[in-house]
Amino acid sequence: MSIHDIPNVIPVSTALTTAGQPSEDQLGAAARDGFEVVINLGLLDPRYCLPDEAGLVRRLGMRYVHIPVDFQTPAADDLQRFFDAMDDAGDRKVLVHCAANKRVSSFVALYGEARLGWSRQQADDFLRRIWEPNPNWSAFIERARNDLYL
């Protein structure tokens, strides 16, 4: 079992990987691979998540951060909490996931522009590896870019 088996996984750098929902075994693989922080942007919906992901991640020796982002109504506060969690992670190895990596790819694209020096084109290219944002998410991304002066 490997983290590369997680649905829609994208290694962004040696310290950051994005993905869809990992299984228990895949989270175990993440711990073995040296990940120290797991950030979950998904909702606690039994159709898409593990029953006790927070407890499992902690038992595996990693830090768990849950920022539930409603897919229908992403909010600026959610994005700010994500930026804060990423900033708090510092140099630690981070796995960020949601159900399908759509929320995550959107937030990481904005984080890349705001904190990692990515151009808008780089951010858009990263985002589109997973999906073409629907009108609701496109509007959210544009508002966030304007608010962040990107």
Side-chain angles (χ1 to χ4, degrees):
M1 184 61 52
S2 162
I3 66 158
H4 301 289
D5 297 322
I6 302 172
N8 295 328
V9 68
I10 299 177
V12 178
S13 68
T14 57
L16 176 60
T17 297
T18 69
Q21 177 63 53
S23 69
E24 290 183 18
D25 289 342
Q26 291 161 341
L27 285 170
R32 288 188 300 279
D33 286 350
F35 283 86
E36 300 169 86
V37 179
V38 173
I39 301 173
N40 178 3
L41 301 185
L43 301 179
L44 295 180
D45 182 330
R47 295 174 297 171
Y48 306 112
C49 69
L50 297 175
D52 182 22
E53 182 173 317
L56 173 62
V57 168
R58 289 184 187 109
R59 285 190 302 279
L60 290 167
M62 298 180 288
R63 182 170 175 243
Y64 182 76
V65 179
H66 185 221
I67 304 167
V69 178
D70 185 327
F71 190 77
Q72 301 307 316
T73 56
D77 287 348
D78 298 331
L79 181 62
Q80 184 59 58
R81 288 178 59 206
F82 173 71
F83 276 32
D84 292 345
M86 290 295 294
D87 292 345
D88 287 346
D91 294 334
R92 293 180 191 93
K93 197 169 179 180
V94 179
L95 172 64
V96 186
H97 81 83
C98 60
N101 202 355
K102 292 179 180 180
R103 286 168 256 236
V104 170
S105 62
S106 301
F107 277 32
V108 169
L110 291 166
Y111 183 80
E113 281 186 75
R115 299 283 203 279
L116 303 177
W118 294 2
S119 68
R120 182 167 292 200
Q121 186 64 52
Q122 285 173 300
D124 287 344
D125 289 348
F126 174 79
L127 175 61
R128 289 191 177 94
R129 288 179 68 181
I130 296 297
W131 73 313
E132 184 68 40
N134 64 31
N136 189 38
W137 274 90
S138 292
F140 169 77
I141 291 165
E142 201 52 43
R143 279 191 312 275
R145 284 175 165 158
N146 290 334
D147 291 346
L148 296 169
Y149 308 105
L150 299 176

